[in-house]
Amino acid sequence: MTTYPHLLAPLDLGFTTLRNRVIMGSMHTGLEDRFYNYGKLAAFYRERARGGVGLIVTGGISPNRQGWLLPFGGTMNFIGDVVNHRKVTRAVHEEGGKILMQILHAGRYGYQPFVVSASERKSPISPFKPRALSESGIESTIRAYVRCAKLAQKAGYDGIEVMGSEGYLLNQFLCARTNLRTDRWGGSIENRMRLPVEIVSRIRQAVGTGFIIMYRHSLLDLVEGGNTWEEVVAVAKALQHAGATILNTGIGWHEARVPTIVTSVPRAAFAEVAGRLRREVTIPVVASNRINMPDEAEDILRRGDADMVSMARPFLADAAFVEKAAQGRVDEINTCIGCNQACLDHTFSNKRASCLVNPRACHETELEYKPAAAKRRIAVVGAGPAGLSAATVAAERGHDVTLYDSSGAVGGQFKIAMQIPGKEEFAETIRYFSRKLELTGVKQQLNRRVTREELLAEGYDDVIVATGIKVRKPAIEGIDHPKVLSYIDVLQHKKPVGKRVAIIGAGGIGFDVGEYLLHDPSLGLPLSIDHWTAEWGVDLHAKTGGGLVPPVPSEPVRQLYLLQRKASKPGAGLGKTSGWVHRAVLARNGVVMLAGVSYKRIDDQGLHIVVGGEERLLTVDHVVICAGQDSLDELMPPEGTAGGPRFHKIGGASLAAELDAKRAIKEGATLAASL
Ligand code: FAD
Ligand code: NAP
Ligand code: SF4
């Protein structure tokens, strides 16, 4: 008996059977763009297929040059392209998996000068104005899709996914927002859907019946001028009629100002929308977005909201997700925490994708945890992300590892981070590592603030110093006034905080503390889907175009000031794909953000500052210090010390400035893999 009977049930498509209901959704890894990276790409997919996923979808491959997302992006338009892709299909098939190639034409989202779209409307997220496709341009685009699908078939793929959502070309034709045409490709929904429907129909004629055509359909555009629910359903029915095998679903255009996948979006927030579509068509429907654990996925299938569940980032975090679920080892799953820091933020910076909690993702052939040549006795001091990563990888490789932490529980600063509304998922990383410590046999010495002398006395071969940081206390007059609290006082020691608060420091932690202080505790955490949709102005029924409605006005529980000395925009250094969400939450709650501030003093009246050459008094009850950290590395031996164990320094202990957990975990794993 399995806990996940629906998730693990095979799906018979008539001409082929998928081994379970789990799809690894399409992700642009950056490896698909260069022929010499296909060996690495094949290794990446091989591990996921070995881990039991039912159906894999590749990152987007363009059918022609106009469709490139980035200059010289992965393209499939001549027979020579097939050779590289065969490495990928062979690897997946050898592991018993199935794989679709996603055909993605970026349309006006292309970050290159050849961009085309339905009309000449520039997107707010690309500097390139598109050329409107002519009638003959549309015909050659259709032919490019068909050629691309036939080549994918030759390369051994089990099918293709036509990317029709997230605001890419086909979505641009589907919506009045970007389709201003007056010919037979624009105007009514029948005309606007002509291009995607024609593409599916012509691909079906070309590839025959035994080839999967999955179409990724936008259920909620979440932009002005998006489609209504009736239009979404009409398109779905036409796609089914045209020969689609499966309808995958997408939520929100990339330019939407509603978050759809970051950590603060409630798990499975959009599954019920997929459920409504499922009742309108007879082909399988897939639910997607912020589904990251098997329990949610099973619930969605059991409720009848979908026939399959697509998870993308969870397979960066853990290649063996399905295998672990099937074997009742859910507590061993390395859960995607929705941070976007190593995946989407990398993609949008033109860097290879990876994963904050799993630095091996997309580096399978480069970062390997091979059995150690000789067993070493290793001490790891500090059980934050860096130390946990180092200890578990070293022990997994066969070393004898002892982990020390001065506190009574592992997790380091992640125990504080998980207090932030929308960062509850960080607890999953602590749960994962706690279990991994048990499985790999790491000896734990908690509540033990270890000294260098004690470590030397133990005679270790290696000491890994992962002791993190000490909080910076800025030299401001009145810094010891009772009004002053550190972010540790607020988040960890839960000291009471008044109604008017100034936050000194507008980095990641300053923003997080802002969100924490704005949260109304009576709402609980995580936020309910109803509350979240009301806050962001989302109508899951899409009665009006795009599913947008006026957000419910915020009633801030506090008046906050968020301050920094730099003249740049506060929050400019936050994540590329998540920073705007944090800025929007604070702006919606009336937080006053001031840049170019100098701090004069803190006294009974409040915080005295100078900004724009003028003195100001912020009459606040408390001043919360979020002014960064300095490394805590006092265990390191003085330079030139000879003999004794080898000392290594990782994570915050190595570099506190700009440190984040992505670097901490990667440094720990890379060091441990080398010992
Ligand atoms: P730490 O997590 O600081 O761990 C160090 C550990 O060493 C501690 O457990 C400490 O008790 C122990 N220790 C210290 N000295 C000794 C000693 N002598 N003996 C024994 N034990 C000792 N990062 C992100 O990437 N994304 C985010 O969204 C994010 N959000 C954050 C939100 C908040 C509110 C906070 C506070 C941090 C956030 N961070 C985030 C930062 C992230 O948590 C840190 O980058 C990460 O924890 C650093 O890991 P570390 O292992 O180097 O250090
Ligand atoms: P940070 O990002 O370095 O920000 C520190 C802030 O304090 C800055 O706004 C800085 O701005 C100010 N500051 C620095 N020295 C000061 C001084 N002497 N006096 C007054 N102000 C001073 O650090 P953090 O916010 O503490 O975050 C720690 C790490 O955790 C960061 O590396 C961050 O990336 C990570 N983190 C990430 C996220 C995320 O969402 N990705 C969230 C939380 C934390 P000025 O110098 O201009 O005043
Ligand atoms: Fe998930 Fe963050 Fe890893 Fe991306 S980097 S896959 S969001 S945990």
Side-chain angles (χ1 to χ4, degrees):
M1 266 305 279
T2 164
T3 322
Y4 305 110
H6 296 87
L7 195 64
L8 300 174
L11 180 64
D12 183 358
L13 294 173
F15 55 92
T16 188
T17 299
L18 305 177
R19 58 184 166 182
N20 54 52
R21 305 302 177 104
V22 185
I23 295 182
M24 170 177 158
S26 172
M27 283 176 287
H28 187 84
T29 64
L31 293 171
E32 47 286 274
D33 294 338
R34 300 289 172 263
F35 71 90
Y36 49 80
N37 280 331
Y38 270 72
K40 291 176 188 157
L41 191 62
F44 167 69
Y45 289 127
R46 178 186 288 281
E47 285 203 8
R48 275 76 199 159
R50 187 180 298 155
V53 64
L55 183 64
I56 292 173
V57 187
T58 68
I61 300 291
S62 182
N64 58 16
R65 187 174 67 160
Q66 284 94 336
W68 283 343
L69 196 53
L70 292 165
F72 307 103
T75 317
M76 173 86 93
N77 62 358
F78 93 110
I79 188 74
D81 295 325
V82 163
V83 180
N84 296 321
H85 286 265
R86 283 210 176 118
K87 291 185 189 153
V88 168
T89 53
R90 199 178 310 125
V92 171
H93 291 154
E94 278 171 9
E95 301 297 340
K98 290 200 159 51
I99 183 162
L100 310 184
M101 190 188 85
Q102 188 190 67
I103 308 181
L104 179 144
H105 188 307
R108 69 180 196 151
Y109 279 168
Y111 214 79
Q112 40 93 359
F114 309 110
V115 286
V116 293
S117 183
S119 305
E120 291 188 355
R121 285 204 117 186
K122 200 175 90 55
S123 110
I125 57 171
S126 168
F128 298 98
K129 188 171 176 191
R131 182 170 57 78
L133 277 169
S134 63
E135 180 84 28
S136 68
I138 291 177
E139 176 55 27
S140 50
T141 305
I142 297 171
R143 278 201 245 114
Y145 269 87
V146 174
R147 183 175 58 228
C148 189
K150 281 170 68 180
L151 289 170
Q153 199 172 26
K154 274 200 171 24
Y157 285 103
D158 301 283
I160 44 114
E161 175 175 76
V162 177
M163 179 43 148
S165 64
E166 325 304 281
Y168 291 116
L169 181 78
L170 301 185
N171 221 175
Q172 290 159 28
F173 267 81
L174 268 183
C175 293
R177 174 183 182 78
T178 37
N179 186 340
L180 312 176
R181 304 177 75 100
T182 50
D183 58 7
R184 66 195 188 101
W185 305 97
S188 65
I189 186 62
E190 288 70 29
N191 283 353
R192 299 200 310 268
M193 73 164 92
R194 197 179 303 281
L195 177 61
V197 172
E198 188 68 15
I199 284 172
V200 170
S201 159
R202 300 256 295 263
I203 290 177
R204 178 54 78 209
Q205 284 166 32
V207 297
T209 49
F211 195 62
I212 300 171
I213 300 179
M214 183 154 81
Y215 187 93
R216 184 133 192 228
H217 185 29
S218 181
L219 300 196
L220 287 176
D221 295 310
L222 299 180
V223 287
E224 302 287 341
N227 286 335
T228 60
W229 184 246
E230 285 70 34
E231 290 171 323
V232 168
V233 171
V235 175
K237 288 184 172 169
L239 290 166
Q240 170 174 326
H241 186 70
T245 324
I246 303 174
L247 277 177
N248 193 359
T249 58
I251 305 287
W253 289 32
H254 284 315
E255 69 205 61
R257 292 290 90 186
V258 176
T260 54
I261 56 169
V262 295
T263 324
S264 54
V265 177
R267 284 183 180 182
F270 305 102
E272 68 152 278
V273 192
R276 250 180 291 124
L277 184 69
R278 185 170 181 251
R279 292 188 279 281
E280 302 281 354
V281 292
T282 52
I283 55 177
V285 168
V286 184
S288 72
N289 285 62
R290 274 292 281 136
I291 304 163
N292 64 344
M293 284 299 272
D295 284 8
E296 275 78 32
E298 176 70 14
D299 281 352
I300 290 168
L301 297 172
R302 190 182 33 75
R303 285 199 307 265
D305 276 349
D307 300 280
M308 297 191 80
V309 169
S310 172
M311 292 174 269
R313 297 170 301 167
F315 285 98
L316 288 177
D318 198 330
F321 182 103
V322 175
E323 182 184 274
K324 289 176 181 176
Q327 296 173 353
R329 295 158 51 214
V330 173
D331 56 351
E332 291 177 35
I333 291 178
N334 196 359
T335 305
C336 164
I337 59 174
C339 65
N340 285 356
Q341 284 176 241
C343 50
L344 280 178
D345 285 353
H346 278 209
T347 304
F348 283 93
S349 317
N350 209 0
K351 290 200 299 203
R352 193 196 308 182
S354 188
C355 174
L356 180 140
V357 298
N358 174 24
R360 283 197 72 240
C362 302
H363 297 74
E364 285 72 16
T365 58
E366 294 140 289
L367 180 57
E368 294 185 273
Y369 305 151
K370 290 185 175 152
K375 187 169 182 161
R376 301 176 72 82
R377 285 190 65 234
I378 300 175
V380 179
V381 190
L388 288 169
S389 167
T392 51
V393 171
E396 184 178 330
R397 295 187 54 233
H399 292 304
D400 175 357
V401 181
T402 306
L403 176 66
Y404 297 89
D405 201 286
S406 50
S407 77
V410 304
Q413 290 180 66
F414 262 33
K415 288 180 288 188
I416 307 175
M418 63 185 252
Q419 310 295 322
I420 306 297
K423 288 197 172 175
E424 299 82 12
E425 296 279 4
F426 283 50
E428 297 284 8
T429 304
I430 302 179
R431 183 263 310 146
Y432 163 76
F433 276 120
S434 303
R435 180 74 181 119
K436 188 101 188 169
L437 290 173
E438 288 171 12
L439 291 169
T440 54
V442 172
K443 291 171 240 166
Q444 298 181 46
Q445 296 264 337
L446 299 181
N447 293 310
R448 176 103 190 264
R449 188 167 197 96
V450 73
T451 63
R452 196 182 319 132
E453 290 65 38
E454 288 168 327
L455 292 165
L456 293 176
E458 286 288 341
Y460 289 110
D461 298 313
D462 293 271
V463 174
I464 299 177
V465 177
T467 43
I469 50 93
K470 47 184 181 277
V471 174
R472 188 178 293 144
K473 188 173 171 184
I476 302 170
E477 190 185 328
I479 192 72
D480 293 318
H481 192 279
K483 270 184 194 297
V484 179
L485 300 171
S486 73
Y487 69 85
I488 305 275
D489 292 329
V490 175
L491 300 175
Q492 190 176 344
H493 305 310
K494 309 283 179 199
K495 292 211 174 148
V497 183
K499 288 284 178 197
R500 293 172 59 81
V501 182
I503 299 172
I504 288 186
I509 293 181
F511 269 83
D512 276 355
V513 167
E515 287 191 41
Y516 176 85
L517 293 175
L518 288 169
H519 176 68
D520 176 353
S522 68
L523 297 175
L525 283 174
L527 283 183
S528 69
I529 295 175
D530 284 349
H531 187 87
W532 182 88
T533 48
E535 207 171 66
W536 284 97
V538 174
D539 168 22
L540 293 178
H541 289 264
K543 287 192 212 77
T544 54
L548 292 180
V549 288
V552 172
S554 305
E555 290 174 21
V557 295
R558 286 189 172 86
Q559 167 67 64
L560 298 188
Y561 298 89
L562 182 62
L563 315 171
Q564 70 175 27
R565 298 171 303 173
K566 289 187 286 290
S568 55
K569 189 171 149 198
L574 298 177
K576 223 178 162 81
T577 60
S578 57
W580 66 272
V581 182
H582 300 294
R583 287 192 292 273
V585 171
L586 265 55
R588 189 169 62 219
N589 283 284
V591 175
V592 179
M593 297 187 216
L594 297 175
V597 173
S598 44
Y599 307 108
K600 291 297 151 192
R601 66 179 185 285
I602 301 159
D603 59 21
D604 290 347
Q605 288 181 296
L607 174 63
H608 299 259
I609 58 171
V610 175
V611 59
E614 280 185 23
E615 287 212 17
R616 278 184 68 178
L617 166 65
L618 306 181
T619 53
V620 291
D621 307 311
H622 286 103
V623 177
V624 181
I625 308 294
C626 303
Q629 300 99 4
D630 296 309
S631 291
L632 177 61
D633 64 351
E634 60 204 19
L635 289 180
M636 289 301 286
E639 291 243 345
T641 306
R646 295 188 302 187
F647 276 78
H648 316 266
K649 201 163 50 158
I650 55 170
S654 165
L655 184 64
E658 303 298 318
L659 175 93
D660 57 30
K662 177 178 74 173
R663 179 144 28 108
I665 291 177
K666 187 173 180 190
E667 278 179 8
T670 309
L671 171 66
S674 72
L675 294 175

